Amino acid sequence: MNETQLRERLAEHGRLLFGRGYSVGSAGNISVRLPDGYLMTPTNSCLGRLDPDRISKLDPQWRHVSGDKPSKEVFMHRAVLETRPEAGAVVHLHSTHATAIACLASPGEAAPIPPLTPYFVMRVGRVLPVVRYYRPGDAAMEPAIAEAARQARAMLLANHGPVVSGKTLDDAVYAAEELEEAAKLALLLQGREARRLTPAEVEDLLTTFG
Ligand code: 13P
């Protein structure tokens, strides 16, 4: 996809995510890697009403070059995209169920959501680190995000929400959606005996689907 198509796709994904309540108000931000820099949703923008022409553009050194002022979470996106060269996009949401798990006092360091369904394992993976609380936009979070990104495609920020990367924008959005659904299932099943995928079944998914 060229830049114009990616801008339109980003606005379309934003509209769909917002429409289903995966972000509310002006919460959430999305970045996409380009051959000559990055696209990023503008700060204080509503994901449901993004104007493709006003999406922020940053150069390869993450300097703002055009469009509206970028998200204050530029450090978060930079940490993931620089740590994971294969990642083409990052989606940060405040989706309710993933955020609820991120608010638990003891969410579980590396696996706060159990492997209940194949698509969670295939899209998000085996490990989901929880990064300690930082104020939104705090540049001090960058090393902690980079450390989590070294271990996994996605992470939860304590008391804040999920950060998910993917090879492409579509992949990152689909993984963020799977993460939210898996979090919802985990909460729905709390207190009931659920069958988790076995380590061998998880291994089989990861080797079959990469
Ligand atoms: P921005 O509006 O600056 O992107 O911040 C929204 C957000 O989700 C903070 O985490």
Side-chain angles (χ1 to χ4, degrees):
M1 267 195 238
N2 64 30
E3 182 177 329
T4 306
Q5 291 166 324
L6 279 169
R7 284 173 179 269
E8 277 160 16
R9 189 66 149 234
L10 206 167
E12 185 189 7
H13 276 307
R15 194 162 53 246
L16 292 171
L17 290 166
F18 185 83
R20 282 172 297 157
Y22 287 8
S23 72
V24 297
S26 64
N29 29 74
I30 303 175
S31 61
V32 182
R33 195 194 297 276
L34 297 173
D36 62 343
Y38 305 91
L39 292 177
M40 175 148 307
T41 49
T43 190
N44 293 325
S45 59
C46 170
L47 290 192
R49 282 190 292 268
L50 292 171
D51 176 347
D53 294 332
R54 293 180 60 175
I55 289 172
S56 319
K57 185 163 181 184
L58 294 91
D59 71 11
Q61 283 71 47
W62 296 87
R63 289 179 299 232
H64 181 206
V65 289
S66 63
D68 290 347
K69 187 177 172 204
S71 169
K72 64 171 118 24
E73 302 290 21
V74 65
F75 308 104
M76 170 203 290
H77 292 260
R78 179 167 76 180
V80 178
L81 289 170
E82 295 207 335
T83 305
R84 300 185 71 83
E86 87 288 359
V90 174
V91 176
H92 165 56
L93 299 173
H94 295 179
S95 52
T96 309
H97 299 88
T99 304
I101 289 186
C103 291
L104 292 174
S106 305
E109 289 256 307
I113 300 176
L116 292 165
T117 64
Y119 266 74
F120 173 64
V121 174
M122 287 153 55
R123 295 251 177 227
V124 177
R126 201 189 328 240
V127 180
L128 182 67
V130 181
V131 175
R132 78 154 175 88
Y133 175 76
Y134 288 91
R135 188 188 69 234
D138 186 351
M141 76 174 77
E142 194 163 354
I145 304 271
E147 175 55 31
R150 266 188 279 282
Q151 300 165 44
R153 264 176 265 178
M155 66 193 78
L156 295 178
L157 307 185
N159 300 87
H160 188 167
V163 179
V164 184
S165 66
K167 240 185 218 149
T168 65
L169 174 59
D170 287 354
D171 286 340
V173 170
Y174 297 159
E177 292 175 331
E178 287 298 338
L179 173 51
E180 175 58 13
E181 290 309 305
K184 189 174 178 179
L185 284 177
L187 292 171
L188 277 173
L189 290 165
Q190 239 176 14
R192 310 192 68 172
E193 205 180 332
R195 179 189 178 273
R196 296 177 177 201
L197 296 175
T198 65
E201 287 164 346
V202 168
E203 198 55 47
D204 171 54
L205 288 166
L206 294 175
T207 48
T208 307
F209 298 104

